Amino acid sequence: MPSVVGLLEQREPAARRRADGLREEADRIQAELAAAELEWQEWAIARRRMLTRSRRPDMR
């Protein structure tokens, strides 16, 4: 009959691999989110600039 410690030692590497994989996925998602937020900010800035310019009498 295997010992409790032996069973724990058998399961630990799989748990560590799962945690490492999820950490890598979280890092990838965080980078993708940062890029998407930057793009969103750029579109919002462009929209505000266009609204500002369209309101100027000399730009019409």
Side-chain angles (χ1 to χ4, degrees), residues 13-45:
R16 178 176 294 210
R17 283 191 303 273
R18 178 161 160 54
D20 289 344
L22 289 171
R23 191 174 299 108
E24 289 174 9
E25 185 177 352
D27 290 345
R28 181 190 58 77
I29 290 170
Q30 188 65 31
E32 192 173 333
L33 175 59
E37 287 177 333
L38 179 60
E39 182 181 9
W40 173 31
Q41 290 172 0
E42 289 170 350
W43 282 110
I45 290 167

Side-chain angles (χ1 to χ4, degrees), residues 1-2 5 10-12 14-16 19 22-24 30 33 35-37 45 50-52 54-55 57-58:
M1 178 174 184
V5 173
Q10 287 176 358
R11 292 180 184 228
E12 184 182 356
R16 178 176 294 210
L22 289 171
R23 191 174 299 108
E24 289 174 9
Q30 188 65 31
L33 175 59
E37 287 177 333
I45 290 167
M50 291 302 297
L51 286 171
T52 300
S54 69
R55 292 180 184 149
D58 60 334

